[in-house]
Amino acid sequence: MPIVFVLVALLVLAVLVTANWYVWRRLFRDTTRGPGLTRRLGAVLVAGGWALAITALVAERTGAPFWLQQVLAWPGFLWLALSIYLFLAVLAGEVVRPPLRWFLDRRARTGPGPDASDRGTGPQGDGVAGAPADAAASEVAAASQVDRGDGVPAGATTAGSQAAGVADAPGAVSSATTAATPQGGGASGAPVPAVAAGAAAAGSQADGGVGEPGGLPASATAAGSQADGIAGMPSGAPASTAAAGSQADGGSAAPASAAAAASPADPGSTATAPHPQADHTPEASPQPLTTTAPEPTAPTAPESTAPTASAPTASEPTAPEPTAPTASAPTTPAPTGPSRRLFVSRVVAGAAAAAAVGTVGYGTYGVLRGPKVKRVAVPLAKLPRAAHGYRIAVVSDIHLGPVLGRGFAQTVVDTINATQPDLIAVVGDLVDGSVKDLGPAAAPLAQLRARHGSYFVTGNHEYFSGAEQWVEEVRRLGLTPLENARREMPYFDLAGVNDVAGEDEGQGPDYARALGDRDTARACVLLAHQPVQIHDAVEHGVDLQLSGHTHGGQLWPGNLLAAAANPTVAGLERYGDTQLYVSRGAGAWGPPTRVGAPSDITLIELASKQA
């Protein structure tokens, strides 16, 4: 037998430890990014709360100084109730967690897309809205050809250089092409003749789709644009070719005809001087512009004497080389807020904590406010017509102790007296402590008033607190203890038996003594603390048994446990010819809290079937 007790105790301890670790994990570990003060405070709260609760229970049972019981009772017993509903709330959060994460994931996947204007802008942000969708592919092809050092082949088209997607100007000829002298074959770095200002303007539009302000020379614009798009272009390349290559970065798609000749009507169209070259470059004849397509031959490799753009001289101005354009989408900044998993954990944990605190707070308020009056009509077959409407105020489980004291007792007494009963029945568990500590708290019971008096039977908690002393104390306060005794009232017999917990002290219930030798033609009302005593009441022909003990479960889902141990948890039920009424009680044991089982004082109104 001791081994079984130890095993059960270890099992209970393991369940408690696991449940509290689970609560700590969900409330504190899963809601923080890493170890820190919050997790340590959570561990202290959980462990400290249970330490207070266990200490409060031990102090009450061992008769510790009453002031110490009062100090420990409030935080310790309230933590008991709070821990129950924290666990239940966190457990319920497991049902909410998956759909909440699904909703956030779906919202992230189906968020609003970019506007039409955003989709028309190139990755560099310099393009012009309304570019064709396939412009990015042409840009990548042109850029990759230049990066390999192939130069710009003769007959490169302006359509291929318009990779950034610029809208064609009105009247533009989309099929026009511009010829360029191959770099690396034929003449070696010949000086460039003057090119029409229209070609320079086209090259100057490489970064914005509009002409450069200030009337920059075409040669300077072409040189600057070489650094943007044509890495392998020699410095001696024609300005028109550089202007076409510069459009690969998103410049305006100027018509080929505009690049071929300047308009005489344009006052700003002036010829430009030859592009300055390195000192060692020999002169060559100028290369004319042509609109004929080149032969489909691969460009020849450049001679060793060909100048390169990778080693500019000190006298030659250079421009900073920007990052080569790519077709990939711009990178999105990394999110700075919490992840969705952390966000969901915090939302669920916060809701669980709020629900638990709110539930316990409301349940505690309901107890401290005092019990409500509940009226129940009970017909009795043997009750005479003259007793129809007889009122019995039933109160049980007041549980005066370190938490509920004299003020609560006064509230109960005032509520009972307001019903103006014919008889008052106090059916056990009046106190949780000794007469020495709780005598002053029970003093208001002397104010109970009823036409046929007040009666008392012991409950199991009286035997934890000195039943004999309390029997004498309630007698001194004006109540009549019924210790396995019976009184003949004007219209029925009133009997009372001790609680079954008194059997360990030789003061258990004695039904034969309380109910023997009575007139069975009279109705009989029995006061017995525990509902399990109904079976003996049925055997002895009792008409109505009044009980308490269950508290109605007190803390939901405690009613399920109470139902497993008692035939009736609360209310009126019939067992054969005997009816059983169980009160939820006026007070509370342990936590001064009730959830799903409000406290009550029941006013039984007896009804005669002869009326």
Side-chain angles (χ1 to χ4, degrees):
M1 188 67 179
I3 297 178
V4 175
F5 177 79
V6 171
L7 291 176
V8 172
L10 290 176
L11 178 61
V12 172
L13 180 62
V15 170
L16 289 176
V17 170
T18 302
N20 282 275
W21 174 84
Y22 168 71
V23 169
W24 172 85
R25 173 189 172 186
R26 284 307 195 192
L27 293 183
F28 299 100
R29 196 193 76 171
D30 292 354
T31 58
T32 54
R33 297 183 184 272
L37 181 61
T38 302
R39 293 187 180 184
R40 290 193 291 270
L41 290 177
V44 170
L45 176 65
V46 174
W50 277 99
L52 282 173
I54 294 173
T55 305
L57 290 172
V58 172
E60 180 183 299
R61 286 290 181 265
T62 57
F66 192 65
W67 66 266
L68 180 60
Q69 295 183 42
Q70 290 177 310
V71 169
L72 296 173
W74 273 104
F77 290 149
L78 283 177
W79 175 255
L80 278 177
L82 185 61
S83 63
I84 292 173
Y85 290 102
L86 281 175
F87 175 77
L88 293 176
V90 170
L91 198 63
E94 301 297 340
V95 180
V96 180
R97 194 180 300 267
L100 181 57
R101 290 193 62 187
W102 173 85
F103 172 77
L104 293 176
D105 292 342
R106 182 176 181 272
R107 183 178 181 183
R109 289 194 303 268
T110 61
D115 295 337
S117 59
D118 295 337
R119 289 193 296 269
T121 305
Q124 297 85 357
D126 295 334
V128 180
D134 59 348
S138 301
E139 179 184 358
V140 174
S144 63
Q145 182 182 20
V146 173
D147 290 341
R148 288 196 303 269
D150 296 337
V152 181
T157 63
T158 59
S161 66
Q162 295 173 357
V166 183
D168 292 338
V173 181
S174 60
S175 62
T177 60
T178 302
T181 302
Q183 307 300 317
S188 58
V192 183
V195 185
S204 68
Q205 294 174 358
D207 290 333
V210 294
E212 290 288 332
L216 295 178
S219 60
T221 308
S225 64
Q226 284 179 347
D228 290 340
I230 311 179
M233 179 71 68
S235 60
S240 61
T241 307
S246 68
Q247 292 177 357
D249 287 339
S252 172
S257 60
S263 173
D266 188 357
S269 301
T270 59
T272 60
H275 185 71
Q277 304 296 325
D279 295 337
H280 65 277
T281 306
E283 294 184 357
S285 60
Q287 302 295 328
L289 293 176
T290 178
T291 57
T292 60
E295 295 180 1
T297 58
T300 60
E303 296 180 359
S304 60
T305 59
T308 62
S310 61
T313 62
S315 63
E316 183 176 344
T318 60
E321 183 175 352
T323 304
T326 61
S328 61
T331 58
T332 303
T336 58
S339 65
R340 284 194 290 272
R341 181 185 296 274
L342 185 61
F343 174 76
V344 169
S345 296
R346 288 177 176 177
V347 169
V348 174
V357 172
T359 300
V360 173
Y362 183 77
T364 302
Y365 167 75
V367 171
L368 299 180
R369 178 187 56 191
K372 299 293 186 180
V373 176
K374 182 179 180 180
R375 299 176 182 270
V376 178
V378 180
L380 297 178
K382 300 178 183 178
L383 189 69
R385 183 174 183 177
H388 184 78
Y390 192 91
R391 292 172 296 181
I392 303 175
V394 180
V395 59
S396 72
D397 302 283
I398 299 175
H399 286 288
L400 299 178
V403 176
L404 303 178
R406 185 185 181 100
F408 184 75
Q410 187 66 58
T411 300
V412 171
V413 168
D414 293 343
T415 303
I416 292 173
N417 288 341
T419 64
Q420 298 180 348
D422 297 307
L423 185 146
I424 299 172
V426 181
V427 290
D429 281 3
L430 173 63
V431 292
D432 283 309
S434 65
V435 173
K436 175 184 176 182
D437 294 334
L438 296 176
L445 295 177
Q447 304 171 21
L448 289 173
R449 297 289 182 268
R451 184 170 56 139
H452 294 146
S454 302
Y455 296 86
F456 171 79
V457 294
T458 58
N460 55 314
H461 281 249
E462 272 73 47
Y463 293 98
F464 304 150
S465 308
E468 293 183 0
Q469 290 82 4
W470 275 112
V471 167
E472 293 301 322
E473 180 66 15
V474 297
R475 182 179 283 115
R476 189 186 67 83
L477 293 174
L479 284 75
T480 302
L482 293 176
E483 297 181 280
N484 299 323
R486 181 180 77 249
R487 290 293 180 91
E488 293 185 359
M489 308 304 294
Y491 308 110
F492 57 90
D493 292 339
L494 180 67
V497 294
N498 296 342
D499 187 71
V500 294
E503 294 177 350
D504 296 336
E505 301 181 14
Q507 300 177 11
D510 189 341
Y511 297 95
R513 178 181 173 185
L515 300 172
D517 300 330
R518 73 173 188 87
D519 186 359
T520 57
R522 287 168 56 90
C524 179
V525 177
L526 175 67
L527 308 183
H529 177 64
Q530 297 196 35
V532 295
Q533 297 173 271
I534 184 62
H535 305 294
D536 293 298
V538 172
E539 293 180 2
H540 290 81
V542 172
D543 296 283
L544 174 63
Q545 175 178 316
L546 302 177
S547 299
H549 182 65
T550 66
H551 297 205
Q554 184 169 334
L555 297 173
W556 184 92
N559 59 310
L560 303 178
L561 298 177
N566 297 274
T568 299
V569 175
L572 181 66
E573 291 189 3
R574 175 177 290 275
Y575 295 85
D577 293 334
T578 304
Q579 297 181 80
L580 169 64
Y581 180 80
V582 180
S583 170
R584 293 191 179 97
W589 176 77
T593 310
R594 284 176 172 266
V595 177
S599 58
D600 66 60
I601 293 172
T602 305
L603 187 64
I604 298 291
E605 296 182 351
L606 300 180
S608 174
K609 292 186 176 182
Q610 302 175 11

